[in-house]
Amino acid sequence: MQAYNDKQPAGVPLDPEAAKDIKLFQPITVKSVTFHNRIGVPPMCMYSSEDGALNDFHIMHYGKFALLGAGLVIIEATAVEPQGRITPRDSGLWKDEQIPALKRVVDMIKSQGAVAGLQIAHAGRKASTAPPYMGDYVETEENGGWPDDVRAASDIPFASHYPKPNALTEEGINEIVQKFADTARRADQAGVEVLEIHSAHGYLLHNFLSGNSNKRTDKFGGSLENRMRFPLMVAKAVRQVWPDHKPLWVRFSGSDLKNEGVLTKDPEGWDIDQATEYARQLKAIGVDVMDCSSGGNLSNAVYPKGDLYQVPLAEAIKRDAAVDVAAVGKIVDAHDAESVLRDNKADFCLVGREYLRDSSWALSACQELGAAVRWPKQYSWAVSGTRKAIKKQKEEEMKKEQEMKK
Ligand SMILES: Cc1cc2nc3c(=O)[nH]c(=O)nc-3n(C[C@H](O)[C@H](O)[C@H](O)COP(=O)(O)O)c2cc1C
């Protein structure tokens, strides 16, 4: 039977030689994983799981990004324990029974030639709330919430309408470290290729990192070294079980945005200087890529307006910690994304909300940057707007076939 080239991903320039100067569409390899372009869909909670398990919605949701050419698709924040969910409808991987549902989605993403990523997370003091599409309120026990069992560094609520958390004991901290490692092992079993630890947005790890939220007086609070202790224990434990050949990413906030400006110092709280030191230590543990976000830890944070607002954080981390980084945050325009990479400010561009608006972002981006792009083969012959591209694709395929016959 004739081979159908099922593994050829969309989102690749039809003529790689002609597109060799477009950085966004250059493949990149980290450890054993090659991404066919440098566009990723960042983790985005959909709050649509039942008892943590992904379902048909997620197959469709993540599948469409993979089908339409994103190089990397990172599945949403996935809790390491039930109390680590933001809402009762979050994704979770705290038990082996949740592996098959995740594997279905991972297989779907991989079947289209994209790289399957997963973010593992603990919501900390932002747990037991309602899905945002329902409203901004604490989820009660009757409705599946756990407002009396919310866990954090200190017993300070995120905002006045959030649950009062219980400060974790050292024993509780050690248990959560183990739960991150167990979840990483399950992710490997599900075939996940890139694992990302969620250490941003005010969730548990960030809650410990920042002096704005961590008021502990034991070895997990006070100095930067002490505040980093628990998150670094998590990274170490995960790296030990996550296969050496697979990339490990960490997403962290580069600033709490307590004051205006992403690079403004906040030495007693959390700022770029401390984030850079954190990145250095993560790198020493064997973390491969730093995914540079910001904010989420303070209910009155000052969010900058405008596109590319977090790129200065990625750029600073890349330069000062000498690591590979992903930039994220209002990357909307293809030319902007290309300039982030070309100016050496980041190695990957993650496109979030714009992907929710336009799931074929990678395909349009390539064309906007002046190169014909491969569509899913099931569509390419049928889409009249790309006749030139299709002609070129067919010629290329015929040429390849002829070469193979020789
Ligand atoms: C619906 C939604 C859900 C999100 N869920 C997560 C998440 O699970 N984990 C995470 O680290 N960030 C999450 N984020 C943040 C995004 O990953 C991204 O960093 C942010 O939206 C900024 O990028 P953008 O401007 O391209 O959307 C979420 C954002 C949105 C809009």
Side-chain angles (χ1 to χ4, degrees):
M1 198 172 134
Q2 190 190 346
Y4 282 110
N5 285 338
D6 274 347
K7 288 283 178 195
Q8 285 204 333
V12 172
L14 284 177
D15 182 349
E17 184 53 29
K20 69 177 187 326
D21 293 333
I22 306 177
K23 214 139 179 228
L24 201 53
F25 287 89
Q26 294 311 301
I28 179 170
T29 300
V30 181
K31 296 269 176 70
S32 65
V33 175
T34 298
F35 305 76
H36 66 257
N37 61 40
R38 297 168 185 226
I39 301 164
V41 181
M44 284 184 280
C45 286
M46 290 291 114
Y47 314 106
S48 299
S49 302
E50 297 287 346
D51 191 30
L54 302 182
N55 54 46
D56 286 353
F57 167 80
H58 303 93
I59 291 274
M60 182 276 301
H61 169 68
Y62 292 113
K64 72 180 193 262
F65 303 138
L67 174 72
L68 294 172
L72 165 69
V73 179
I74 308 180
I75 297 168
E76 66 203 79
T78 292
V80 302
E81 64 170 0
Q83 295 89 340
R85 293 171 293 172
I86 303 166
T87 82
R89 302 292 304 272
D90 281 24
S91 166
L93 193 57
W94 61 82
K95 53 184 175 183
D96 287 355
E97 290 74 16
Q98 289 157 333
I99 296 174
L102 171 64
K103 186 170 185 308
R104 261 184 93 217
V105 178
V106 166
D107 287 349
M108 166 75 216
I109 294 170
K110 285 158 63 171
S111 74
Q112 301 309 306
V115 171
L118 176 78
Q119 185 183 60
I120 57 174
H122 192 297
R125 67 175 175 169
K126 294 170 89 176
S128 192
T129 55
Y133 56 72
M134 297 296 292
D136 184 12
Y137 57 88
V138 170
E139 201 59 279
T140 58
E141 261 180 50
E142 301 78 71
N143 226 2
W146 53 96
D148 297 329
D149 194 11
V150 168
R151 299 157 179 209
S154 305
D155 61 355
I156 309 165
F158 172 66
S160 55
H161 64 296
Y162 270 63
K164 185 168 195 248
N166 301 308
L168 280 162
T169 60
E170 184 167 355
E171 194 189 356
I173 288 172
N174 288 331
E175 278 171 17
I176 291 178
V177 170
Q178 187 57 47
K179 285 176 182 175
F180 267 95
D182 293 344
T183 304
R185 175 188 50 78
R186 292 187 194 103
D188 180 43
Q189 284 174 16
V192 169
E193 296 167 290
V194 168
L195 190 69
E196 176 170 277
I197 299 172
H198 198 345
S199 181
H201 305 166
Y203 298 114
L204 188 64
L205 271 50
H206 183 183
N207 177 253
F208 270 77
L209 287 172
S210 171
N212 292 320
S213 47
N214 179 347
K215 302 292 179 192
R216 298 176 77 98
T217 51
D218 63 0
K219 65 179 180 182
F220 296 101
S223 66
L224 174 61
E225 189 189 353
N226 282 357
R227 284 182 274 123
M228 288 194 299
R229 192 180 306 281
F230 165 54
L232 291 174
M233 282 163 66
V234 168
K236 228 178 256 173
V238 167
R239 185 72 269 185
Q240 269 168 13
V241 297
W242 185 243
D244 279 349
H245 66 91
K246 289 190 182 184
L248 179 61
W249 292 31
V250 172
R251 169 170 272 199
F252 56 78
S253 290
S255 164
D256 274 1
L257 304 176
K258 190 173 177 181
N259 304 298
E260 209 168 307
V262 291
L263 297 174
T264 304
K265 310 281 178 194
D266 176 15
E268 304 301 318
W270 187 248
D271 61 9
I272 185 63
D273 292 346
Q274 298 173 79
T276 304
E277 181 54 27
Y278 185 44
R280 288 192 192 109
Q281 303 231 7
L282 290 169
K283 183 185 169 192
I285 287 169
V287 174
D288 302 289
V289 177
M290 312 295 160
D291 177 0
C292 302
S293 191
S294 72
N297 196 37
L298 298 173
S299 56
N300 59 353
V302 189
Y303 287 93
K305 297 194 172 39
D307 289 355
L308 308 180
Y309 71 100
Q310 289 173 160
V311 171
L313 296 167
E315 183 184 8
I317 297 285
K318 182 168 174 59
R319 183 190 58 231
D320 297 335
V323 282
D324 285 352
V325 302
V328 66
K330 289 196 187 162
I331 300 176
V332 174
D333 179 77
H335 291 276
D336 280 350
E338 175 64 8
S339 65
V340 167
L341 300 185
R342 196 171 323 119
D343 297 346
N344 213 25
K345 294 177 177 170
D347 303 279
F348 292 87
C349 281
L350 305 183
V351 177
R353 285 163 291 182
E354 202 54 24
Y355 248 105
L356 300 181
R357 296 185 188 103
D358 170 15
S359 37
S360 54
W361 193 87
L363 303 181
S364 336
C366 196
Q367 279 169 346
E368 273 171 45
L369 294 170
V373 66
R374 186 157 69 213
W375 279 56
K377 69 175 186 309
Q378 294 88 342
Y379 296 6
S380 62
W381 64 276
V383 182
S384 58
T386 54
R387 279 201 197 101
K388 242 170 97 183
I390 294 164
K391 194 169 160 236
K392 211 165 180 185
Q393 180 169 2
K394 280 192 177 152
E395 283 169 1
E396 229 190 30
E397 282 169 359
M398 274 171 62
K399 209 169 127 194
K400 267 191 194 146
E401 266 179 32
Q402 279 165 0
E403 275 168 12
M404 278 169 70
K405 277 184 194 157
K406 275 184 199 165

